[in-house]
Amino acid sequence: MLGRISRPLFRRFSAIGSRHSAFGMRLLAGVCVAAALTAAAQQTPKVTLDVSPALFATTTAINACGYDAELSASLPVRREVRAQVAQALQKSPQAEAVRGEMCTFYREHQQPDSTRDLAPYVSLALNLGDPPDFTPKVKEAELPPDASYVLGFVPLLKQFYQAAGLAQVWESHRYDYNQLIDRYHDKVANLLLSTDVYLRLPISGYVGRRFTVYLEPMTAPAQVNSRNYGDDYYMVVSPENGALKLEQLRHTYLHFLLDPLVLKRANSLRKFQPVLKMVATAPLDKSFKEDVSLLVTESLIRAVEARTLPGGRNAEPARQKAVAEDMSEGFVLTAYFYDQLVKFETDPAGLQDAFPDWLYYFDLDHERKRIAEVQFASKGTPEIVTASTTGTKLLQQAERKMADGDYSGARQLAEEAMEKGVSDPGQASFLIAQAATQTTPPDVEGARTYFEKTVQLAKNPRLVAWSHIYLGRILDMSDRRDEAVVHYRAALAADDKDAGARAAAERGLKQPFQKPASKPE
């Protein structure tokens, strides 16, 4: 059966300090392909419309520091929250002092392009637990690079949260946030349901994966922030003059559905590799020019968007115009997938069964001629979901193997990720070094080499600090105390925000490191 929307129990709004203070979570959509409704509902992918206390606190804090983007187009609740915080600051010199220190950090980390000021704080908030602790959900070394860039904001946020009484502010607006969930639930559910019905994908392939849409009116309405962390997809959006950006939401959902479909067929994508040379001069992000799976996925998504424009047969001119625009931006496989979708609509098979044939019967010579006629635009539209490069995907897999204790496998994947390219090669280098220390016997020289590379390459000061600490320990175990002390001091100089690194470096300065004795069998 197709098209059943399941609604789980409604979680009522609770105090912001509670571990389960997120509220309003509702299951939005899922195609149920099963004989029994009960069994189908249990397999439905987790697609939810929700709010996040960590997002609220973080975005409220930067609003207090001058983040005013699109204030006039925001919902009234944004101005009301800002007014409440301003009133609390006027009453408390301590709160104002805390705000001053926090805002200094915010100003020092602003981007040359002001439209990018929000993005790192969204990434950070998505990786934080609930207030008042704001405990990171992952190890600091595993945070996304942009979140790591502003990680020093967290201790300041903790102080501001307490001093400005954000718990009370959140509590006073629980009705407003509840209303947002209720107002947009059906529209979003219908949009995603129509997408499920069109693609006819079995829901069994999405068990264990999540797509969460967070409504946060403290952000600029025009700035849709979408993230893909491993198997989880997130979208943070604020209604603009009361309207939600449904097109961007659907685009992110299509990534959630189609990314794994493409990634599972790496061998079949090899015949598409020559297309990358054809888009060298297109106004595409570098990642699309280097990773054919990204180009294939985005072209397929844009073909679906063009093919499903409303209007029936009368909409065909508008659909062809959309395809032409996508091709001119460099997504040169859009026309090919559009043609396949026309046939797909009359075929009973679902996309999972049809897609392998589309890859198999791809005629490179025919498409090369079509692409040769495309005149690339001078500028393209920015992609909503930040695309992960092949190297980044490999690094994510390496981190999972590391967590599972497969150190050799983790090292192999991390080394391959460095070859493919990652946004922060220091992160890959650090993982290789860590894996080298865990193998039996430990690869001490390999670890030392890659910790030294991390010091040179890493953008994250915490990785630099911990690399110095590990280098100091390696030197201590080789009775090279003077050199070890140099690294412990360098660790302190690299990062004074990480209490764990600071404590480890100070211990190293007090006495030489000794490897812990092995536990008795």
Side-chain angles (χ1 to χ4, degrees):
M1 296 183 182
L2 300 178
R4 181 176 182 270
I5 300 179
S6 176
R7 294 171 180 259
L9 293 176
F10 187 87
R11 288 199 289 146
R12 289 295 175 187
F13 187 99
S14 58
I16 193 169
S18 168
R19 176 63 182 162
H20 301 288
S21 57
F23 67 90
M25 183 175 286
R26 294 188 178 195
L27 196 57
L28 292 179
V31 180
C32 302
V33 186
L37 287 176
T38 302
Q42 291 174 347
Q43 298 179 46
T44 304
K46 293 182 179 178
V47 183
T48 56
L49 188 62
D50 206 355
V51 296
S52 162
L55 266 171
F56 171 82
T58 303
T59 54
T60 297
I62 65 173
N63 268 264
C65 291
Y67 174 69
D68 300 330
E70 300 175 62
L71 185 59
S72 61
S74 298
L75 295 178
V77 65
R78 184 179 179 192
R79 290 184 289 274
E80 292 168 7
V81 168
R82 287 164 60 105
Q84 283 179 269
V85 172
Q87 188 176 19
L89 295 173
Q90 289 177 355
K91 294 179 179 179
S92 172
Q94 178 188 2
E96 180 58 41
V98 170
R99 186 194 74 87
E101 185 178 358
M102 180 180 71
C103 293
T104 297
F105 179 97
Y106 174 75
R107 288 192 295 272
E108 290 175 347
H109 290 76
Q110 283 183 291
Q111 307 292 312
D113 179 359
S114 61
T115 61
R116 300 182 63 84
D117 286 341
L118 174 65
Y121 294 96
V122 167
S123 293
L124 179 65
L126 289 174
N127 285 279
L128 295 178
D130 287 346
D133 297 327
F134 297 101
T135 304
K137 298 176 182 177
V138 297
K139 296 178 181 178
E140 292 182 5
E142 298 172 358
L143 285 170
D146 60 342
S148 296
Y149 177 67
V150 293
L151 186 59
F153 190 75
V154 176
L156 302 170
L157 176 62
K158 289 181 181 180
Q159 297 177 45
F160 183 73
Y161 167 78
Q162 297 288 358
L166 291 192
Q168 291 74 29
V169 177
W170 171 266
E171 175 69 20
S172 68
H173 289 282
R174 60 178 171 179
Y175 179 78
D176 298 318
Y177 276 77
N178 260 330
Q179 287 295 100
L180 287 179
I181 297 290
D182 289 339
R183 184 186 308 171
Y184 298 110
H185 175 272
D186 289 349
K187 287 184 179 179
V188 174
N190 291 335
L191 177 74
L192 302 190
L193 177 60
S194 66
T195 304
D196 288 338
V197 170
Y198 180 76
L199 297 176
R200 305 193 296 277
L201 283 167
I203 52 85
S204 58
Y206 304 97
V207 174
R209 302 176 62 233
R210 294 181 299 172
F211 174 48
T212 305
V213 181
Y214 287 116
L215 297 173
E216 185 43 73
M218 299 304 293
T219 64
Q223 296 182 26
V224 176
N225 279 269
S226 296
R227 301 289 186 273
N228 166 212
Y229 300 139
D231 291 333
D232 297 330
Y233 287 67
Y234 302 95
M235 183 173 182
V236 179
V237 62
S238 171
E240 182 174 12
N241 295 320
L244 206 59
K245 293 182 177 296
L246 295 176
E247 296 83 2
Q248 288 91 331
L249 192 155
R250 186 178 188 231
H251 187 92
T252 305
Y253 185 60
L254 283 167
H255 270 285
F256 173 76
L257 294 176
L258 301 179
D259 282 352
L261 186 70
V262 175
L263 289 175
K264 285 191 294 187
R265 292 168 175 82
N267 290 335
S268 299
L269 293 179
R270 290 176 182 172
K271 65 166 63 177
F272 289 79
Q273 199 69 25
V275 176
L276 296 181
K277 295 181 180 179
M278 305 178 204
V279 297
T281 59
L284 288 173
D285 183 86
K286 183 180 178 182
S287 60
F288 292 109
K289 298 179 181 181
E290 295 179 345
D291 188 338
V292 73
S293 69
L294 297 180
L295 185 65
V296 167
T297 304
E298 187 64 24
S299 296
L300 175 58
I301 288 173
R302 294 192 177 218
V304 172
E305 291 173 332
R307 187 61 197 159
T308 55
L309 285 174
R313 294 180 180 178
N314 294 332
E316 190 58 26
R319 292 168 182 162
Q320 292 295 335
K321 180 182 178 182
V323 171
E325 290 174 351
D326 291 331
M327 298 282 284
S328 70
E329 289 183 18
F331 301 107
V332 294
L333 298 170
T334 303
Y336 172 73
F337 287 124
Y338 184 91
D339 292 344
Q340 304 311 308
L341 286 168
V342 173
K343 303 172 186 175
F344 168 75
E345 292 169 8
T346 62
D347 193 320
L351 186 63
Q352 181 168 306
D353 295 324
F355 186 64
D357 287 344
W358 299 356
L359 301 183
Y360 181 80
Y361 291 109
F362 177 74
D363 186 340
L364 179 62
D365 291 336
H366 179 270
E367 293 307 315
R368 182 183 278 118
K369 294 176 183 178
R370 175 152 52 182
I371 295 170
E373 297 176 358
V374 175
Q375 183 175 354
F376 292 130
S378 59
K379 185 178 181 181
T381 56
E383 165 57 5
I384 296 172
V385 181
T386 302
S388 298
T389 64
T390 300
T392 300
K393 294 170 188 171
L394 290 169
L395 192 57
Q396 291 170 348
Q397 295 172 20
E399 289 169 347
R400 284 195 287 270
K401 284 189 176 293
M402 191 76 176
D404 293 338
D406 182 1
Y407 304 118
S408 297
R411 179 171 180 173
Q412 183 178 353
L413 286 171
E415 288 173 345
E416 188 177 351
M418 284 196 74
E419 294 177 3
K420 297 289 186 180
V422 287
S423 58
D424 185 355
Q427 187 177 1
S429 179
F430 186 77
L431 196 150
I432 294 169
Q434 280 187 309
T437 66
Q438 298 295 326
T439 55
T440 305
D443 178 7
V444 177
E445 283 306 310
R448 180 177 177 180
T449 297
Y450 279 98
F451 280 131
E452 288 174 346
K453 283 187 177 182
T454 305
V455 169
Q456 298 171 354
L457 299 173
K459 301 175 183 178
N460 186 339
R462 282 151 190 82
L463 295 186
V464 175
W466 277 107
S467 294
H468 279 300
I469 291 167
Y470 282 118
L471 287 168
R473 291 173 175 177
I474 291 171
L475 291 165
D476 265 338
M477 290 188 289
S478 301
D479 295 323
R480 298 164 65 177
R481 179 62 179 162
D482 290 344
E483 295 174 67
V485 168
V486 172
H487 281 288
Y488 293 133
R489 287 174 177 164
L492 289 174
D495 184 15
D496 61 355
K497 302 283 187 188
D498 185 339
R502 185 171 62 253
E506 289 173 347
R507 285 196 301 271
L509 289 173
K510 290 179 181 179
Q511 60 184 31
F513 175 79
Q514 292 183 342
K515 185 178 180 180
S518 299
K519 294 181 180 180
E521 296 291 337

